[in-house]
Amino acid sequence: MDVTVVIPVKNAGNLLDKVLSRVFEQKTQYTYEVICVDSGSKDNTLDIIKKYDCKLFQIKPEEFGHGKTRNYGASKGTGTYIIFITQDALPATDTWMENFINAMKLDKDIAGGFGIHYPYPDCNIPDKRDLKAHFEGFGSDNTIYYLEDWERYEREEGYRHLLAFFSDNNSCIRRDIWEKYPYEDVDFAEDQIWARKMIELGYKKVYCPFAPVYHSHNYSLSSYAGRYFDEYKGLYKLHGYRMAEKLRKNIIPMYKHIKSDWKYILSLKEGIGFKIKWMHYSFWRNHARYYFGYMGGKYCDYSDRKKAFLDKHISQQHKQRRK
């Protein structure tokens, strides 16, 4: 088998039907299998999976982990390459898989790769802009990244982020490498932790803009506190990165970010109601980003009692595990 596609699922809804349909419509020379790992769905997810030639494995909700569940799914397959996508990542073309594997074959030292994300048509305005800019920063052609300069790597935060970025919403890794270095059992950023380790070991990664998926979210404003808390908690663990050592130092960057968003929103050829809606969204989302992101970055400095309180009352990952 050439490729194993692994999809962790839980209460995926009807979008999963579209995702699986698109996966099985791929025009490719490569043989492939699709493995779904369900962690306690209560909706029609299992019925959707049974419509397709998938291998279905079920685990208890409390057994789910971003790293260990993907390891489990990968272990059930035999493909030379392992593609990870999420239940809401819709392959955007019927050559997605073909192009992905071809990119992986460009260099014998490539351990893994990631593909571009397109925003869904209904994606919120700031994310639509940011997704486009983010992936354009990796290049317009298949691009191989590796650690060329250790001194720069130690010194430059942005260079470390560039080399470590990896996304299991749309990724591919070599099975022989994964067998030596499986994902760690962590709450957050299992993909970037793995990619950083591979880069530091001397392997390469490839960015493939010709293997696109649609993937974006329209989270409620109330959910961003927990999401940014977890994100920056993970960034500190991965890169030692914090927004600021003191909360007051976040005020100016926060309002610069809001100003940038508003300038972009006001430049759009839309009505005033549309612009007010997204300016309001940007204002409160950035407040959540800079306040709760600061708290997540300082997490390691807190007492065990405070950590337990924050995990219970703020962390999105904690709530998901409890469910």
Side-chain angles (χ1 to χ4, degrees):
M1 188 69 65
D2 295 318
V3 185
T4 298
V5 180
V6 177
I7 313 175
V9 297
K10 182 177 181 181
N11 296 331
N14 292 328
L15 179 55
L16 179 63
D17 203 352
K18 295 180 181 179
V19 170
L20 290 175
S21 177
R22 195 67 62 86
V23 169
F24 282 99
E25 291 171 356
Q26 291 297 298
K27 296 177 181 177
T28 178
Q29 64 181 302
Y30 301 111
T31 59
Y32 64 95
E33 61 188 346
V34 180
I35 293 174
C36 294
V37 183
D38 182 80
S39 54
S41 290
K42 301 297 184 182
D43 64 356
N44 62 341
T45 293
L46 299 183
D47 292 332
I48 290 171
I49 292 171
K50 290 172 184 177
K51 289 170 56 180
Y52 297 90
D53 186 21
C54 297
K55 297 178 182 178
L56 171 63
F57 297 91
Q58 294 175 267
I59 61 175
K60 296 177 181 178
E62 60 270 22
E63 293 174 350
F64 175 82
H66 288 287
K68 71 178 181 179
T69 298
R70 286 174 171 83
N71 285 339
Y72 176 73
S75 74
K76 297 299 183 180
T78 61
T80 302
Y81 297 92
I82 304 164
I83 289 180
F84 292 113
I85 57 173
T86 48
Q87 63 188 23
D88 56 352
L90 178 68
T93 67
D94 58 11
T95 56
W96 159 77
M97 183 183 297
E98 179 82 4
N99 293 339
F100 220 159
I101 303 306
N102 288 345
M104 289 288 295
K105 290 183 172 183
L106 289 174
D107 190 302
K108 64 180 178 59
D109 292 325
I110 292 173
F114 64 99
I116 194 171
H117 299 186
Y118 295 156
Y120 280 107
D122 66 346
C123 179
N124 68 75
I125 295 303
D127 277 355
K128 187 174 289 188
R129 175 202 59 188
D130 293 347
L131 269 175
K132 183 175 184 294
H134 176 74
F135 284 98
E136 282 180 347
F138 290 106
S140 58
D141 202 347
N142 288 328
T143 306
I144 297 172
Y145 290 91
Y146 58 99
L147 208 172
E148 301 178 80
D149 186 338
W150 270 100
E151 189 277 330
R152 181 186 175 194
Y153 185 76
E154 294 289 342
R155 167 177 49 84
E156 191 176 316
E157 187 77 31
Y159 186 54
R160 293 198 296 273
H161 285 214
L162 175 71
L163 292 181
F165 180 81
F166 202 73
S167 174
D168 277 343
N169 295 315
N170 186 25
S171 70
C172 183
I173 64 177
R174 280 170 39 192
R175 180 173 293 277
D176 61 330
I177 300 294
W178 170 79
E179 287 174 347
K180 292 181 186 176
Y181 307 107
Y183 283 140
E184 294 184 22
D185 181 12
V186 292
D187 295 337
F188 186 84
E190 81 294 335
D191 42 11
Q192 297 196 60
I193 291 171
W194 182 85
R196 178 173 180 169
K197 184 175 183 178
M198 295 305 100
I199 288 291
E200 292 180 352
L201 285 171
Y203 290 105
K204 301 176 181 179
K205 72 174 182 180
V206 63
Y207 165 60
C208 182
F210 310 117
V213 297
Y214 287 103
H215 185 265
S216 58
H217 295 288
N218 283 328
Y219 295 126
S220 66
L221 283 173
S222 62
S223 73
Y224 279 113
R227 294 184 184 282
Y228 283 126
F229 176 81
D230 289 334
E231 178 179 347
Y232 283 87
K233 177 180 170 184
L235 282 171
Y236 182 76
K237 181 176 181 181
L238 179 61
H239 295 297
Y241 174 77
R242 287 174 172 163
M243 287 184 170
E245 289 298 324
K246 300 291 183 181
L247 183 59
R248 66 177 180 272
K249 292 186 178 181
N250 269 345
I251 295 174
I252 291 176
M254 178 181 70
Y255 280 104
K256 283 184 177 179
H257 201 149
I258 294 170
K259 182 180 178 181
S260 174
D261 282 355
W262 285 14
K263 182 178 179 180
Y264 171 72
I265 292 165
L266 289 169
S267 73
L268 300 174
K269 295 179 180 179
E270 301 286 351
I272 188 64
F274 175 94
K275 293 177 179 179
I276 290 174
K277 171 187 173 181
W278 291 111
M279 289 169 73
H280 173 270
Y281 179 92
S282 166
F283 182 84
W284 289 111
R285 176 173 171 174
N286 279 303
H287 273 75
R289 183 199 308 269
Y290 283 90
Y291 181 72
F292 291 101
Y294 166 81
M295 294 178 69
K298 298 287 284 186
Y299 181 84
C300 290
D301 295 344
Y302 299 142
S303 66
D304 290 343
R305 183 177 179 181
K306 186 170 183 178
K307 287 178 181 177
F309 178 86
L310 293 173
D311 283 338
K312 181 177 179 180
H313 294 282
I314 298 177
S315 172
Q316 188 77 16
Q317 295 289 332
H318 182 81
K319 292 174 183 176
Q320 289 175 348
R321 288 196 304 273
R322 286 175 62 88
K323 290 179 181 179

